[in-house]
mmCIF file with all atom_site columns, all heavy atoms in Angstrom:
data_model
loop_
_atom_site.group_PDB
_atom_site.id
_atom_site.type_symbol
_atom_site.label_atom_id
_atom_site.label_alt_id
_atom_site.label_comp_id
_atom_site.label_asym_id
_atom_site.label_entity_id
_atom_site.label_seq_id
_atom_site.pdbx_PDB_ins_code
_atom_site.Cartn_x
_atom_site.Cartn_y
_atom_site.Cartn_z
_atom_site.occupancy
_atom_site.B_iso_or_equiv
_atom_site.pdbx_formal_charge
_atom_site.auth_seq_id
_atom_site.auth_comp_id
_atom_site.auth_asym_id
_atom_site.auth_atom_id
_atom_site.pdbx_PDB_model_num
ATOM 1   N N   . LYS A 1 72 ? -4.995 6.258  -12.688 1.00 87.00 ? 1395 LYS A N   1
ATOM 2   C CA  . LYS A 1 72 ? -4.649 7.551  -13.274 1.00 87.00 ? 1395 LYS A CA  1
ATOM 3   C C   . LYS A 1 72 ? -3.662 7.431  -14.427 1.00 87.00 ? 1395 LYS A C   1
ATOM 4   O O   . LYS A 1 72 ? -3.760 8.162  -15.403 1.00 87.00 ? 1395 LYS A O   1
ATOM 5   C CB  . LYS A 1 72 ? -4.099 8.490  -12.200 1.00 87.00 ? 1395 LYS A CB  1
ATOM 6   C CG  . LYS A 1 72 ? -4.116 9.927  -12.645 1.00 87.00 ? 1395 LYS A CG  1
ATOM 7   C CD  . LYS A 1 72 ? -4.099 10.860 -11.489 1.00 87.00 ? 1395 LYS A CD  1
ATOM 8   C CE  . LYS A 1 72 ? -4.237 12.269 -12.006 1.00 87.00 ? 1395 LYS A CE  1
ATOM 9   N NZ  . LYS A 1 72 ? -4.313 13.232 -10.977 1.00 87.00 ? 1395 LYS A NZ  1
ATOM 10  N N   . LYS A 1 73 ? -2.684 6.580  -14.327 1.00 81.00 ? 1396 LYS A N   1
ATOM 11  C CA  . LYS A 1 73 ? -1.700 6.334  -15.396 1.00 81.00 ? 1396 LYS A CA  1
ATOM 12  C C   . LYS A 1 73 ? -1.154 7.628  -16.002 1.00 81.00 ? 1396 LYS A C   1
ATOM 13  O O   . LYS A 1 73 ? -1.370 7.929  -17.159 1.00 81.00 ? 1396 LYS A O   1
ATOM 14  C CB  . LYS A 1 73 ? -2.319 5.459  -16.486 1.00 81.00 ? 1396 LYS A CB  1
ATOM 15  C CG  . LYS A 1 73 ? -2.692 4.103  -15.989 1.00 81.00 ? 1396 LYS A CG  1
ATOM 16  C CD  . LYS A 1 73 ? -3.261 3.226  -17.068 1.00 81.00 ? 1396 LYS A CD  1
ATOM 17  C CE  . LYS A 1 73 ? -3.666 1.928  -16.410 1.00 81.00 ? 1396 LYS A CE  1
ATOM 18  N NZ  . LYS A 1 73 ? -4.337 1.001  -17.176 1.00 81.00 ? 1396 LYS A NZ  1
ATOM 19  N N   . THR A 1 74 ? -0.421 8.380  -15.198 1.00 74.00 ? 1397 THR A N   1
ATOM 20  C CA  . THR A 1 74 ? 0.125  9.649  -15.670 1.00 74.00 ? 1397 THR A CA  1
ATOM 21  C C   . THR A 1 74 ? 1.389  9.471  -16.500 1.00 74.00 ? 1397 THR A C   1
ATOM 22  O O   . THR A 1 74 ? 1.794  10.368 -17.222 1.00 74.00 ? 1397 THR A O   1
ATOM 23  C CB  . THR A 1 74 ? 0.494  10.563 -14.481 1.00 74.00 ? 1397 THR A CB  1
ATOM 24  O OG1 . THR A 1 74 ? 1.517  9.922  -13.714 1.00 74.00 ? 1397 THR A OG1 1
ATOM 25  C CG2 . THR A 1 74 ? -0.704 10.867 -13.622 1.00 74.00 ? 1397 THR A CG2 1
ATOM 26  N N   . GLY A 1 75 ? 2.040  8.308  -16.354 1.00 75.00 ? 1398 GLY A N   1
ATOM 27  C CA  . GLY A 1 75 ? 3.318  8.098  -17.029 1.00 75.00 ? 1398 GLY A CA  1
ATOM 28  C C   . GLY A 1 75 ? 4.498  8.541  -16.181 1.00 75.00 ? 1398 GLY A C   1
ATOM 29  O O   . GLY A 1 75 ? 5.642  8.427  -16.581 1.00 75.00 ? 1398 GLY A O   1
ATOM 30  N N   . PHE A 1 76 ? 4.200  9.064  -14.991 1.00 72.00 ? 1399 PHE A N   1
ATOM 31  C CA  . PHE A 1 76 ? 5.245  9.507  -14.078 1.00 72.00 ? 1399 PHE A CA  1
ATOM 32  C C   . PHE A 1 76 ? 5.202  8.659  -12.823 1.00 72.00 ? 1399 PHE A C   1
ATOM 33  O O   . PHE A 1 76 ? 4.172  8.117  -12.454 1.00 72.00 ? 1399 PHE A O   1
ATOM 34  C CB  . PHE A 1 76 ? 5.074  10.985 -13.708 1.00 72.00 ? 1399 PHE A CB  1
ATOM 35  C CG  . PHE A 1 76 ? 5.216  11.900 -14.867 1.00 72.00 ? 1399 PHE A CG  1
ATOM 36  C CD1 . PHE A 1 76 ? 4.114  12.326 -15.580 1.00 72.00 ? 1399 PHE A CD1 1
ATOM 37  C CD2 . PHE A 1 76 ? 6.471  12.336 -15.270 1.00 72.00 ? 1399 PHE A CD2 1
ATOM 38  C CE1 . PHE A 1 76 ? 4.243  13.165 -16.659 1.00 72.00 ? 1399 PHE A CE1 1
ATOM 39  C CE2 . PHE A 1 76 ? 6.618  13.167 -16.356 1.00 72.00 ? 1399 PHE A CE2 1
ATOM 40  C CZ  . PHE A 1 76 ? 5.497  13.590 -17.053 1.00 72.00 ? 1399 PHE A CZ  1
ATOM 41  N N   . GLU A 1 77 ? 6.331  8.576  -12.150 1.00 71.00 ? 1400 GLU A N   1
ATOM 42  C CA  . GLU A 1 77 ? 6.407  7.820  -10.911 1.00 71.00 ? 1400 GLU A CA  1
ATOM 43  C C   . GLU A 1 77 ? 7.252  8.593  -9.922  1.00 71.00 ? 1400 GLU A C   1
ATOM 44  O O   . GLU A 1 77 ? 8.249  9.206  -10.295 1.00 71.00 ? 1400 GLU A O   1
ATOM 45  C CB  . GLU A 1 77 ? 7.052  6.458  -11.177 1.00 71.00 ? 1400 GLU A CB  1
ATOM 46  C CG  . GLU A 1 77 ? 7.067  5.553  -9.985  1.00 71.00 ? 1400 GLU A CG  1
ATOM 47  C CD  . GLU A 1 77 ? 7.557  4.168  -10.335 1.00 71.00 ? 1400 GLU A CD  1
ATOM 48  O OE1 . GLU A 1 77 ? 7.157  3.631  -11.378 1.00 71.00 ? 1400 GLU A OE1 1
ATOM 49  O OE2 . GLU A 1 77 ? 8.361  3.640  -9.543  1.00 71.00 ? 1400 GLU A OE2 1
ATOM 50  N N   . ILE A 1 78 ? 6.834  8.574  -8.679  1.00 69.00 ? 1401 ILE A N   1
ATOM 51  C CA  . ILE A 1 78 ? 7.630  9.179  -7.609  1.00 69.00 ? 1401 ILE A CA  1
ATOM 52  C C   . ILE A 1 78 ? 8.397  8.056  -6.935  1.00 69.00 ? 1401 ILE A C   1
ATOM 53  O O   . ILE A 1 78 ? 7.810  7.083  -6.485  1.00 69.00 ? 1401 ILE A O   1
ATOM 54  C CB  . ILE A 1 78 ? 6.737  9.911  -6.593  1.00 69.00 ? 1401 ILE A CB  1
ATOM 55  C CG1 . ILE A 1 78 ? 6.055  11.095 -7.276  1.00 69.00 ? 1401 ILE A CG1 1
ATOM 56  C CG2 . ILE A 1 78 ? 7.558  10.371 -5.387  1.00 69.00 ? 1401 ILE A CG2 1
ATOM 57  C CD1 . ILE A 1 78 ? 5.051  11.802 -6.420  1.00 69.00 ? 1401 ILE A CD1 1
ATOM 58  N N   . ASN A 1 79 ? 9.699  8.197  -6.898  1.00 71.00 ? 1402 ASN A N   1
ATOM 59  C CA  . ASN A 1 79 ? 10.561 7.180  -6.306  1.00 71.00 ? 1402 ASN A CA  1
ATOM 60  C C   . ASN A 1 79 ? 11.203 7.759  -5.059  1.00 71.00 ? 1402 ASN A C   1
ATOM 61  O O   . ASN A 1 79 ? 11.882 8.778  -5.121  1.00 71.00 ? 1402 ASN A O   1
ATOM 62  C CB  . ASN A 1 79 ? 11.623 6.744  -7.319  1.00 71.00 ? 1402 ASN A CB  1
ATOM 63  C CG  . ASN A 1 79 ? 12.397 5.544  -6.855  1.00 71.00 ? 1402 ASN A CG  1
ATOM 64  O OD1 . ASN A 1 79 ? 12.032 4.915  -5.866  1.00 71.00 ? 1402 ASN A OD1 1
ATOM 65  N ND2 . ASN A 1 79 ? 13.461 5.228  -7.540  1.00 71.00 ? 1402 ASN A ND2 1
ATOM 66  N N   . ILE A 1 80 ? 10.984 7.109  -3.939  1.00 67.00 ? 1403 ILE A N   1
ATOM 67  C CA  . ILE A 1 80 ? 11.524 7.582  -2.667  1.00 67.00 ? 1403 ILE A CA  1
ATOM 68  C C   . ILE A 1 80 ? 12.411 6.500  -2.089  1.00 67.00 ? 1403 ILE A C   1
ATOM 69  O O   . ILE A 1 80 ? 11.995 5.349  -1.989  1.00 67.00 ? 1403 ILE A O   1
ATOM 70  C CB  . ILE A 1 80 ? 10.391 7.924  -1.680  1.00 67.00 ? 1403 ILE A CB  1
ATOM 71  C CG1 . ILE A 1 80 ? 9.512  9.019  -2.276  1.00 67.00 ? 1403 ILE A CG1 1
ATOM 72  C CG2 . ILE A 1 80 ? 10.954 8.333  -0.321  1.00 67.00 ? 1403 ILE A CG2 1
ATOM 73  C CD1 . ILE A 1 80 ? 8.251  9.277  -1.501  1.00 67.00 ? 1403 ILE A CD1 1
ATOM 74  N N   . LYS A 1 81 ? 13.620 6.866  -1.719  1.00 69.00 ? 1404 LYS A N   1
ATOM 75  C CA  . LYS A 1 81 ? 14.537 5.918  -1.106  1.00 69.00 ? 1404 LYS A CA  1
ATOM 76  C C   . LYS A 1 81 ? 15.040 6.512  0.200   1.00 69.00 ? 1404 LYS A C   1
ATOM 77  O O   . LYS A 1 81 ? 15.287 7.697  0.297   1.00 69.00 ? 1404 LYS A O   1
ATOM 78  C CB  . LYS A 1 81 ? 15.722 5.623  -2.022  1.00 69.00 ? 1404 LYS A CB  1
ATOM 79  C CG  . LYS A 1 81 ? 15.333 4.862  -3.263  1.00 69.00 ? 1404 LYS A CG  1
ATOM 80  C CD  . LYS A 1 81 ? 16.538 4.510  -4.079  1.00 69.00 ? 1404 LYS A CD  1
ATOM 81  C CE  . LYS A 1 81 ? 16.099 3.740  -5.308  1.00 69.00 ? 1404 LYS A CE  1
ATOM 82  N NZ  . LYS A 1 81 ? 17.211 3.341  -6.132  1.00 69.00 ? 1404 LYS A NZ  1
ATOM 83  N N   . ALA A 1 82 ? 15.214 5.650  1.174   1.00 62.00 ? 1405 ALA A N   1
ATOM 84  C CA  . ALA A 1 82 ? 15.748 6.086  2.457   1.00 62.00 ? 1405 ALA A CA  1
ATOM 85  C C   . ALA A 1 82 ? 16.903 5.176  2.813   1.00 62.00 ? 1405 ALA A C   1
ATOM 86  O O   . ALA A 1 82 ? 16.910 3.998  2.491   1.00 62.00 ? 1405 ALA A O   1
ATOM 87  C CB  . ALA A 1 82 ? 14.675 6.022  3.533   1.00 62.00 ? 1405 ALA A CB  1
ATOM 88  N N   . ASN A 1 83 ? 17.886 5.718  3.454   1.00 60.00 ? 1406 ASN A N   1
ATOM 89  C CA  . ASN A 1 83 ? 19.008 4.929  3.935   1.00 60.00 ? 1406 ASN A CA  1
ATOM 90  C C   . ASN A 1 83 ? 18.756 4.554  5.380   1.00 60.00 ? 1406 ASN A C   1
ATOM 91  O O   . ASN A 1 83 ? 18.204 5.328  6.149   1.00 60.00 ? 1406 ASN A O   1
ATOM 92  C CB  . ASN A 1 83 ? 20.311 5.733  3.851   1.00 60.00 ? 1406 ASN A CB  1
ATOM 93  C CG  . ASN A 1 83 ? 20.663 6.055  2.430   1.00 60.00 ? 1406 ASN A CG  1
ATOM 94  O OD1 . ASN A 1 83 ? 20.463 5.254  1.542   1.00 60.00 ? 1406 ASN A OD1 1
ATOM 95  N ND2 . ASN A 1 83 ? 21.177 7.250  2.209   1.00 60.00 ? 1406 ASN A ND2 1
ATOM 96  N N   . LYS A 1 84 ? 19.189 3.367  5.759   1.00 59.00 ? 1407 LYS A N   1
ATOM 97  C CA  . LYS A 1 84 ? 19.092 2.964  7.156   1.00 59.00 ? 1407 LYS A CA  1
ATOM 98  C C   . LYS A 1 84 ? 20.112 3.794  7.927   1.00 59.00 ? 1407 LYS A C   1
ATOM 99  O O   . LYS A 1 84 ? 21.283 3.815  7.587   1.00 59.00 ? 1407 LYS A O   1
ATOM 100 C CB  . LYS A 1 84 ? 19.387 1.471  7.294   1.00 59.00 ? 1407 LYS A CB  1
ATOM 101 C CG  . LYS A 1 84 ? 19.193 0.949  8.687   1.00 59.00 ? 1407 LYS A CG  1
ATOM 102 C CD  . LYS A 1 84 ? 19.376 -0.551 8.724   1.00 59.00 ? 1407 LYS A CD  1
ATOM 103 C CE  . LYS A 1 84 ? 19.221 -1.052 10.125  1.00 59.00 ? 1407 LYS A CE  1
ATOM 104 N NZ  . LYS A 1 84 ? 19.340 -2.498 10.203  1.00 59.00 ? 1407 LYS A NZ  1
ATOM 105 N N   . HIS A 1 85 ? 19.629 4.502  8.932   1.00 53.00 ? 1408 HIS A N   1
ATOM 106 C CA  . HIS A 1 85 ? 20.539 5.349  9.700   1.00 53.00 ? 1408 HIS A CA  1
ATOM 107 C C   . HIS A 1 85 ? 19.993 5.535  11.115  1.00 53.00 ? 1408 HIS A C   1
ATOM 108 O O   . HIS A 1 85 ? 18.830 5.313  11.380  1.00 53.00 ? 1408 HIS A O   1
ATOM 109 C CB  . HIS A 1 85 ? 20.724 6.696  9.016   1.00 53.00 ? 1408 HIS A CB  1
ATOM 110 C CG  . HIS A 1 85 ? 19.479 7.531  8.995   1.00 53.00 ? 1408 HIS A CG  1
ATOM 111 N ND1 . HIS A 1 85 ? 18.483 7.340  8.074   1.00 53.00 ? 1408 HIS A ND1 1
ATOM 112 C CD2 . HIS A 1 85 ? 19.085 8.539  9.796   1.00 53.00 ? 1408 HIS A CD2 1
ATOM 113 C CE1 . HIS A 1 85 ? 17.512 8.213  8.302   1.00 53.00 ? 1408 HIS A CE1 1
ATOM 114 N NE2 . HIS A 1 85 ? 17.843 8.946  9.337   1.00 53.00 ? 1408 HIS A NE2 1
ATOM 115 N N   . VAL A 1 86 ? 20.856 5.943  11.978  1.00 50.00 ? 1409 VAL A N   1
ATOM 116 C CA  . VAL A 1 86 ? 20.474 6.258  13.349  1.00 50.00 ? 1409 VAL A CA  1
ATOM 117 C C   . VAL A 1 86 ? 20.918 7.680  13.629  1.00 50.00 ? 1409 VAL A C   1
ATOM 118 O O   . VAL A 1 86 ? 22.075 8.037  13.435  1.00 50.00 ? 1409 VAL A O   1
ATOM 119 C CB  . VAL A 1 86 ? 21.145 5.289  14.354  1.00 50.00 ? 1409 VAL A CB  1
ATOM 120 C CG1 . VAL A 1 86 ? 20.789 5.683  15.776  1.00 50.00 ? 1409 VAL A CG1 1
ATOM 121 C CG2 . VAL A 1 86 ? 20.756 3.853  14.064  1.00 50.00 ? 1409 VAL A CG2 1
ATOM 122 N N   . ASN A 1 87 ? 19.979 8.484  14.058  1.00 54.00 ? 1410 ASN A N   1
ATOM 123 C CA  . ASN A 1 87 ? 20.264 9.856  14.428  1.00 54.00 ? 1410 ASN A CA  1
ATOM 124 C C   . ASN A 1 87 ? 20.240 9.919  15.949  1.00 54.00 ? 1410 ASN A C   1
ATOM 125 O O   . ASN A 1 87 ? 19.211 9.706  16.559  1.00 54.00 ? 1410 ASN A O   1
ATOM 126 C CB  . ASN A 1 87 ? 19.218 10.790 13.815  1.00 54.00 ? 1410 ASN A CB  1
ATOM 127 C CG  . ASN A 1 87 ? 19.528 12.240 14.070  1.00 54.00 ? 1410 ASN A CG  1
ATOM 128 O OD1 . ASN A 1 87 ? 20.319 12.574 14.945  1.00 54.00 ? 1410 ASN A OD1 1
ATOM 129 N ND2 . ASN A 1 87 ? 18.902 13.107 13.306  1.00 54.00 ? 1410 ASN A ND2 1
ATOM 130 N N   . LYS A 1 88 ? 21.365 10.219 16.565  1.00 53.00 ? 1411 LYS A N   1
ATOM 131 C CA  . LYS A 1 88 ? 21.444 10.187 18.032  1.00 53.00 ? 1411 LYS A CA  1
ATOM 132 C C   . LYS A 1 88 ? 20.776 11.399 18.668  1.00 53.00 ? 1411 LYS A C   1
ATOM 133 O O   . LYS A 1 88 ? 20.540 11.421 19.853  1.00 53.00 ? 1411 LYS A O   1
ATOM 134 C CB  . LYS A 1 88 ? 22.898 10.079 18.468  1.00 53.00 ? 1411 LYS A CB  1
ATOM 135 C CG  . LYS A 1 88 ? 23.504 8.799  17.962  1.00 53.00 ? 1411 LYS A CG  1
ATOM 136 C CD  . LYS A 1 88 ? 24.526 8.282  18.897  1.00 53.00 ? 1411 LYS A CD  1
ATOM 137 C CE  . LYS A 1 88 ? 25.057 6.998  18.310  1.00 53.00 ? 1411 LYS A CE  1
ATOM 138 N NZ  . LYS A 1 88 ? 25.363 6.012  19.232  1.00 53.00 ? 1411 LYS A NZ  1
ATOM 139 N N   . GLY A 1 89 ? 20.491 12.430 17.878  1.00 51.00 ? 1412 GLY A N   1
ATOM 140 C CA  . GLY A 1 89 ? 19.778 13.590 18.405  1.00 51.00 ? 1412 GLY A CA  1
ATOM 141 C C   . GLY A 1 89 ? 18.288 13.397 18.171  1.00 51.00 ? 1412 GLY A C   1
ATOM 142 O O   . GLY A 1 89 ? 17.739 12.330 18.386  1.00 51.00 ? 1412 GLY A O   1
ATOM 143 N N   . ILE A 1 90 ? 17.650 14.435 17.711  1.00 49.00 ? 1413 ILE A N   1
ATOM 144 C CA  . ILE A 1 90 ? 16.226 14.356 17.405  1.00 49.00 ? 1413 ILE A CA  1
ATOM 145 C C   . ILE A 1 90 ? 16.101 13.711 16.027  1.00 49.00 ? 1413 ILE A C   1
ATOM 146 O O   . ILE A 1 90 ? 16.796 14.051 15.097  1.00 49.00 ? 1413 ILE A O   1
ATOM 147 C CB  . ILE A 1 90 ? 15.597 15.764 17.399  1.00 49.00 ? 1413 ILE A CB  1
ATOM 148 C CG1 . ILE A 1 90 ? 15.716 16.379 18.784  1.00 49.00 ? 1413 ILE A CG1 1
ATOM 149 C CG2 . ILE A 1 90 ? 14.162 15.712 16.936  1.00 49.00 ? 1413 ILE A CG2 1
ATOM 150 C CD1 . ILE A 1 90 ? 15.294 17.808 18.860  1.00 49.00 ? 1413 ILE A CD1 1
#
Side-chain angles (χ1 to χ4, degrees):
K1395 197 158 185 176
K1396 297 182 183 174
T1397 63
F1399 296 94
E1400 185 173 317
I1401 295 174
N1402 189 10
I1403 300 171
K1404 292 184 180 181
N1406 296 322
K1407 185 175 178 178
H1408 67 279
V1409 177
N1410 185 343
K1411 298 212 179 216
I1413 297 173

